[in-house]
């Protein structure tokens, strides 16, 4: 995966899906440094069946006992160096690349029949259709929408285009809905803070 956050999400999903099977899933990222040595040892001796990680997994120092399949999520976010490493591994393992926004080169290879391409056109099970409403700023509507989502057991993203105004907006939302916990993130947030906050979310 291109980010530690995405690797963490995929790891949780994979562990849930394979919980009933004798299948070991490990995660290798900055967020779980404490057991990295053991994970690398399990990869080398073959006791790990699946490892989910960022492109750090492509390091030449990492050894696999029997690498059979590489799944790349968001291929377009990987750099040239990582793609060169994947080409080296291509001779030893099958490669499956996934992306919601395929890069032109990949599409060109697929259209030229050099690479196989599959399209998943159906929405995931229980996916709700997005309901978009455009209107004037109204605190009553904002409060109602947040409360409805909270009572449903859901969560809310409140997006705004001015970073400097975010603390004032957070204060306003806390006054409107005192029962909820809030956090601020922006493109200028520190990487560690961003990851911690998104994982908490």
């Amino acid at each position: 995966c291109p980010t530690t956050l995405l690797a963490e999400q995929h790891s949780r999903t994979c562990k849930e899906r394979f919980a009933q099977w004798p299948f070991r899933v490990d995660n290798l990222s900055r967020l779980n440094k404490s057991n990295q040595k053991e994970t690398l040892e399990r990869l080398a001796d073959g006791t790990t069946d699946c490892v989910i990680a960022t492109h750090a997994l492509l390091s030449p120092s990492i050894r696999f006992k029997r690498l059979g399949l590489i799944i790349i999520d968001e291929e377009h976010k990987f750099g040239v160096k990582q793609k060169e490493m994947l080409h080296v591994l291509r001779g030893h393992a099958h490669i499956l690349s996934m992306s919601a926004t395929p890069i032109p080169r990949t599409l060109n290879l697929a259209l030229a029949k050099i690479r196989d391409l599959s399209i998943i056109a159906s929405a995931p099970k229980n996916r709700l259709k997005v309901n978009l409403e455009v209107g004037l700023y109204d605190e009553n509507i904002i409060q109602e929408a947040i409360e409805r989502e909270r009572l449903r057991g859901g969560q809310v993203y409140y997006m705004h285009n001015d970073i400097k105004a975010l603390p004032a907006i957070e204060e306003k939302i806390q006054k409107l809905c005192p029962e909820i916990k809030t956090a601020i993130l922006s493109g200028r947030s520190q990487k560690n803070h961003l990851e911690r906050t998104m994982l908490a979310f």
Side-chain angles (χ1 to χ4, degrees):
C1 312
T3 65
T4 52
L5 188 62
L6 193 56
E8 186 71 24
Q9 289 172 329
H10 280 321
S11 179
R12 285 180 186 175
T13 303
C14 206
K15 283 175 181 173
E16 284 171 19
R17 295 233 172 131
F18 289 104
Q20 304 301 314
W21 300 81
F23 193 83
R24 183 172 186 107
V25 178
D26 277 324
N27 183 352
L28 202 57
S29 78
R30 280 199 328 263
L31 299 173
N32 59 352
K33 283 185 177 175
S34 57
N35 60 357
Q36 278 189 0
K37 188 173 180 267
E38 293 88 351
T39 300
L40 293 172
E41 286 169 3
R42 284 193 295 270
L43 278 176
D45 68 22
T47 50
T48 285
D49 298 294
C50 174
V51 64
I52 298 170
T54 61
H55 58 265
L57 194 62
L58 298 173
S59 167
S61 63
I62 294 177
R63 300 275 172 255
F64 299 92
K65 185 174 182 185
R66 53 178 195 278
L67 182 61
L69 174 65
I70 302 166
I71 301 173
I72 307 163
D73 194 7
E74 300 294 347
E75 179 193 23
H76 62 283
K77 291 188 178 175
F78 286 86
V80 174
K81 196 175 175 184
Q82 287 88 30
K83 286 180 181 170
E84 282 174 8
M85 285 293 297
L86 287 165
H87 280 295
V88 171
L89 293 169
R90 192 180 288 277
H92 311 288
H94 298 283
I95 295 182
L96 172 66
S97 299
M98 303 184 303
S99 181
T101 52
I103 56 176
R105 184 176 176 277
T106 303
L107 280 174
N108 189 35
L109 289 170
L111 292 170
K113 305 270 191 264
I114 295 169
R115 281 180 75 169
D116 292 328
L117 176 74
S118 296
I119 297 172
I120 301 172
S122 55
K125 190 180 174 186
N126 299 327
R127 168 70 58 91
L128 297 174
K129 187 173 177 270
V130 174
N131 180 26
L132 178 65
E133 293 180 23
V134 179
L136 295 173
Y137 178 82
D138 185 333
E139 288 185 355
N140 291 328
I141 292 173
I142 292 166
Q143 184 180 28
E144 184 188 324
I146 292 172
E147 281 301 317
R148 190 179 325 124
E149 193 58 28
R150 186 182 70 83
L151 293 170
R152 193 182 74 85
Q155 295 167 288
V156 176
Y157 272 120
Y158 186 107
M159 298 179 79
H160 188 70
N161 63 355
D162 183 2
I163 292 173
K164 285 180 244 140
L166 291 177
I169 287 169
E170 182 184 33
E171 194 178 315
K172 200 175 283 186
I173 287 171
Q174 284 177 333
K175 281 180 185 170
L176 289 171
C177 306
E179 307 84 13
I180 68 168
K181 291 178 187 172
T182 59
I184 295 176
L185 284 179
S186 74
R188 293 190 189 147
S189 296
Q190 293 288 323
K191 197 171 186 179
N192 288 343
H193 169 67
L194 194 141
E195 283 177 350
R196 277 195 312 271
T197 306
M198 285 305 294
L199 277 171
F201 185 73

